[in-house]
């Protein structure tokens, strides 16, 4: 029998987390550590790749200690990660040639505009399911090759490796033996053909990126290799990899076409399982690979919101109106509503379905009577409004009404936000017992690969309802609020375009 636990790495945008799961899908132990956010210029966001690894390794050791467990107690490791974040390192030394360029980073927006002007958008959309945008990894790799002295020559010589964060972690876990990614992460690079499930030579030529840099693309659930004994004192299988949003979809057991989840993390990401064929969006959503298990490939539609829970961090770190992120709900509930204040948190541009990279955060409706509580309420409201925009686009693409939205992520624990979300959508918002579904999805994928769970059917009964939120506000009140939001969005776009 495999060991009693699965260890999940959940490497996020602002923190590294490790969770141990048992066969019931319950969290046995966990640990978390935040790491630095580096802002060299306005619109630029970086991480130190060494800090990503050190914090991730540290929290894994901490979680094992809390469970009184060791490497031999781990049946497998699953990795889930912030996607699109780009790391390039020297294969010979393992040292990064530049900081990790984070998915939120907008430095390549002008280059992406040049690609659009050259007519590349149709090719990119058809091959990758994505739009041309600075969000994705491809233009970030290009920037490193063009701006780090000597990088391009090293890449052409085969000395540089590119990876998203999953690849970087697998490299370290295996002491440099593994240079791999899975189909879900590869599909977020703007370099991967989602039809052939391989890197696309025409796109690599378009961005002038040597294929030698790229990792081998594998399925989302298989044994890629093993850890080295110096790290866990055991050769533990590394057996599951999925980008964080695909992992959350899997952890929510949205295994049938038409099932939808929304993860409320640093950003918000809504994903709908569309089954075994890619469905192209007519409403500015992304088509992506959900996962590959054995020979089965599932695809998804996704709407990406750049600033979700990060708006609460801004209230804490930027404005100083709360001491801890968890304090926002108590502050916001001291007022009945936002008092006419509308916040568009476009701190890193607007994502789906608007895709305005130059938009910036804007606050409307402020009066002398506006308090910190109104701003806190408007910040929470903004998360729900952005989710509404994405869900309506998704319903239009799919040609169906989404009656139930499964939710997870840290902000899904906020009852005020979840109730407002149900009021806006007119759909049930359903929160499971385990809202750590991103890590759970990675654990499921790893566990399936090593026989810890025998098959998908064995997982189905593990999803348990914690609370269902249904609409309480009358349509008139909701419609008025939505009109104010739409007006604010139009104004934010006008500001960016003028």
């Amino acid at each position: 029998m495999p060991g009693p636990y699965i260890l999940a790495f959940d490497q996020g945008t602002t923190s590294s987390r490790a969770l141990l799961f048992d066969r019931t899908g319950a969290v046995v132990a966990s640990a978390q550590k935040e790491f630095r956010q580096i802002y060299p210029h306005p619109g630029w966001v970086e991480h130190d790749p060494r800090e990503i690894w050190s914090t991730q390794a540290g929290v894994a050791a901490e979680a094992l200690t809390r469970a009184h467990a060791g490497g031999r107690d781990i049946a497998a490791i699953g990795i889930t990660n912030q996607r699109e974040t780009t790391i390039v390192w020297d294969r010979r030394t393992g040292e990064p040639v530049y900081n990790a360029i984070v998915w939120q980073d907008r430095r390549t927006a002008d280059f992406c505009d040049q690609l659009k002007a050259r007519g590349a958008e149709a090719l990119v959309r058809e091959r990758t399911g994505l739009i041309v945008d600075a969000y994705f990894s491809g233009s970030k790799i290009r920037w490193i090759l063009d701006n780090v002295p000597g990088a391009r020559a090293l890449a052409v010589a085969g000395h540089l490796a590119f990876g998203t964060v999953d690849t970087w972690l697998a490299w370290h876990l295996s002491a440099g033996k593994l240079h791999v990614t899975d189909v879900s992460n590869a599909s977020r690079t703007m370099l991967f053909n989602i039809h052939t499930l391989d890197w696309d030579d025409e796109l690599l030529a378009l961005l002038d990126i040597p294929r030698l840099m790229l990792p081998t693309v594998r399925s989302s659930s298989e044994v890629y290799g093993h850890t080295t004994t110096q790290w866990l004192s055991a050769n533990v299988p590394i057996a599951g990899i999925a980008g964080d949003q695909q992992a959350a979809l899997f952890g929510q057991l949205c295994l049938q076409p038409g099932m939808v989840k929304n993860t409320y993390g640093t950003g918000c990401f809504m994903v709908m399982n569309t089954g075994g064929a890619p469905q192209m969006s007519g409403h500015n959503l992304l088509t992506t690979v959900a996962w590959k298990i054995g020979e089965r490939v599932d695809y998804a539609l996704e709407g990406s919101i750049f600033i979700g829970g990060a708006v609460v961090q801004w209230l804490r770190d930027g404005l100083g109106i709360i001491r801890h992120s968890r304090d926002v709900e108590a502050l916001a509930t001291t007022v009945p509503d936002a008092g006419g204040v509308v916040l568009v948190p476009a701190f890193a541009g607007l994502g789906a379905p608007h895709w305005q990279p130059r938009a910036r955060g804007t606050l409307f409706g402020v009066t002398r009577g506006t308090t910190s509580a109104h701003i806190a309420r408007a910040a929470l409201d903004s998360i729900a409004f952005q989710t509404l925009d994405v869900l309506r686009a998704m319903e239009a693409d799919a040609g169906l009404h989404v009656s139930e939205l499964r939710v997870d992520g840290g902000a899904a624990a906020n009852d005020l936000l979840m109730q407002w979300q149900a009021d806006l959508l007119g759909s049930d918002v359903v929160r499971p017992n385990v809202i750590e579904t991103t890590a759970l999805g990675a654990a499921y994928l790893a566990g399936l690969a090593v026989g810890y769970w025998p098959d998908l059917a064995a997982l189905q009964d593990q999803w348990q309802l914690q609370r269902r939120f249904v609409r309480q506000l009358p349509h008139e009140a909701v419609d008025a609020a939505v009109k104010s939001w739409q007006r604010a969005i139009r104004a934010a776009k006008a500001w960016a375009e003028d």
Side-chain angles (χ1 to χ4, degrees), residues 19 53 66 69 79 90 99 106 110 129 143 146 153 160 225 252 276 288 290 300 303 305 338 426 454 471 491:
L19 298 93
W53 166 244
R66 289 180 177 178
I79 299 172
D90 192 313
N99 275 340
R106 308 306 299 172
D110 287 342
W143 188 93
D146 287 347
L160 295 190
Q252 285 275 28
T288 195
I305 296 165
R471 172 178 275 185

Side-chain angles (χ1 to χ4, degrees), residues 169-324:
L169 295 178
W171 172 278
H172 278 278
L173 284 169
S174 65
K177 292 184 175 65
L178 290 177
H179 185 212
V180 298
T181 189
D182 89 301
V183 289
S184 71
N185 279 292
S187 73
R188 311 297 296 188
T189 60
M190 217 168 76
L191 302 172
F192 185 73
N193 189 315
I194 62 173
H195 308 282
T196 65
L197 301 182
D198 193 10
W199 302 114
D200 190 285
D201 288 327
E202 197 169 349
L203 293 175
L204 291 172
L206 179 70
L207 274 75
D208 196 14
I209 294 172
R211 191 179 180 117
L212 286 169
M213 297 179 67
L214 305 181
T216 302
V217 183
R218 308 274 286 271
S219 75
S220 308
S221 180
E222 63 174 283
V223 176
Y224 313 104
H226 294 77
T227 63
T228 56
T229 54
Q230 68 250 37
W231 187 69
L232 275 176
S233 302
N235 296 120
V236 179
I238 306 163
I241 297 176
D244 51 10
Q245 303 317 314
Q246 290 96 329
L249 188 71
F250 197 78
Q252 285 275 28
L253 296 175
C254 293
L255 306 180
Q256 302 304 316
M259 297 184 74
V260 186
K261 71 88 195 174
N262 195 40
T263 297
Y264 297 81
T266 301
C268 285
F269 300 88
M270 186 180 296
V271 187
M272 173 187 283
N273 186 324
T274 59
Q279 180 176 330
M280 295 300 169
S281 173
H283 296 84
N284 291 326
L285 301 181
L286 306 175
T287 302
T288 195
V289 181
W291 50 72
K292 181 182 180 188
I293 301 173
E295 296 306 310
R296 170 182 168 179
V297 181
D298 281 68
Y299 292 86
L301 280 173
E302 178 176 322
S304 308
I305 296 165
F306 296 155
I307 301 295
V311 74
V312 178
Q313 293 176 322
W314 174 69
L315 297 179
R316 181 192 68 188
D317 303 333
L319 298 188
I321 64 175
I322 53 174
R323 291 189 61 188
H324 306 285

Side-chain angles (χ1 to χ4, degrees), residues 412-429:
N414 187 311
D415 289 349
L416 179 67
L417 174 59
M418 293 299 100
Q419 183 57 57
W420 180 234
Q421 190 71 85
D423 288 333
L424 284 181
L425 299 181
S427 302
D428 290 3
V429 171

Side-chain angles (χ1 to χ4, degrees), residues 26-242:
V27 178
V28 175
S30 66
Q32 178 173 358
K33 185 173 179 59
E34 291 192 4
F35 53 86
R36 286 182 303 146
Q37 305 296 303
I38 303 167
Y39 306 104
H41 301 286
W44 292 30
V45 190
E46 296 177 0
H47 295 154
D48 181 343
R50 289 163 292 231
E51 196 173 355
I52 288 175
W53 166 244
S54 65
T55 54
Q56 188 64 71
V59 293
E62 186 177 344
L64 287 168
T65 299
R66 289 180 177 178
H68 305 291
R72 289 177 176 80
D73 299 310
I74 307 304
I77 293 173
I79 299 172
T80 184
N81 55 285
Q82 52 166 317
R83 303 169 305 168
E84 299 95 18
T85 294
T86 297
I87 305 173
V88 175
W89 65 95
D90 192 313
R91 295 179 187 275
R92 300 165 298 179
T93 65
E95 287 297 306
V97 301
Y98 190 77
N99 275 340
I101 302 180
V102 180
W103 58 272
Q104 297 163 316
D105 190 282
R106 308 306 299 172
R107 77 186 65 185
T108 60
D110 287 342
F111 172 70
C112 289
D113 286 344
Q114 294 169 22
L115 289 179
K116 293 176 190 175
R118 289 162 54 187
E121 186 122 47
L123 174 67
V124 169
R125 169 72 83 172
E126 190 276 325
R127 300 283 175 86
T128 71
L130 310 177
I131 65 168
V132 174
D133 193 81
Y135 176 25
F136 306 108
S137 309
S139 65
K140 302 179 195 299
I141 303 170
R142 165 71 180 256
W143 188 93
I144 290 173
L145 294 181
D146 287 347
N147 289 276
V148 174
R152 184 168 290 281
L154 288 172
V156 170
H159 295 316
L160 295 190
F162 152 73
T164 42
V165 171
D166 58 303
T167 304
W168 176 245
L169 295 178
W171 172 278
H172 278 278
L173 284 169
S174 65
K177 292 184 175 65
L178 290 177
H179 185 212
V180 298
T181 189
D182 89 301
V183 289
S184 71
N185 279 292
S187 73
R188 311 297 296 188
T189 60
M190 217 168 76
L191 302 172
F192 185 73
N193 189 315
I194 62 173
H195 308 282
T196 65
L197 301 182
D198 193 10
W199 302 114
D200 190 285
D201 288 327
E202 197 169 349
L203 293 175
L204 291 172
L206 179 70
L207 274 75
D208 196 14
I209 294 172
R211 191 179 180 117
L212 286 169
M213 297 179 67
L214 305 181
T216 302
V217 183
R218 308 274 286 271
S219 75
S220 308
S221 180
E222 63 174 283
V223 176
Y224 313 104
H226 294 77
T227 63
T228 56
T229 54
Q230 68 250 37
W231 187 69
L232 275 176
S233 302
N235 296 120
V236 179
I238 306 163
I241 297 176

Side-chain angles (χ1 to χ4, degrees), residues 422-437:
D423 288 333
L424 284 181
L425 299 181
S427 302
D428 290 3
V429 171
V430 180
R431 186 169 65 198
N433 271 333
V434 178
I435 62 172
E436 304 291 357
T437 53

Side-chain angles (χ1 to χ4, degrees), residues 347-389:
F347 304 150
L350 283 171
H354 308 288
W355 295 109
Q356 172 44 272
R358 291 178 177 79
R360 290 294 176 262
T362 45
L363 195 61
F364 299 98
V366 177
T367 70
R368 281 292 299 271
T370 298
T371 67
S372 59
H374 292 112
I375 294 173
R377 186 67 175 258
L380 291 181
D381 288 354
S382 73
I383 299 172
F385 280 129
Q386 292 177 98
T387 300
L388 170 70
D389 289 347

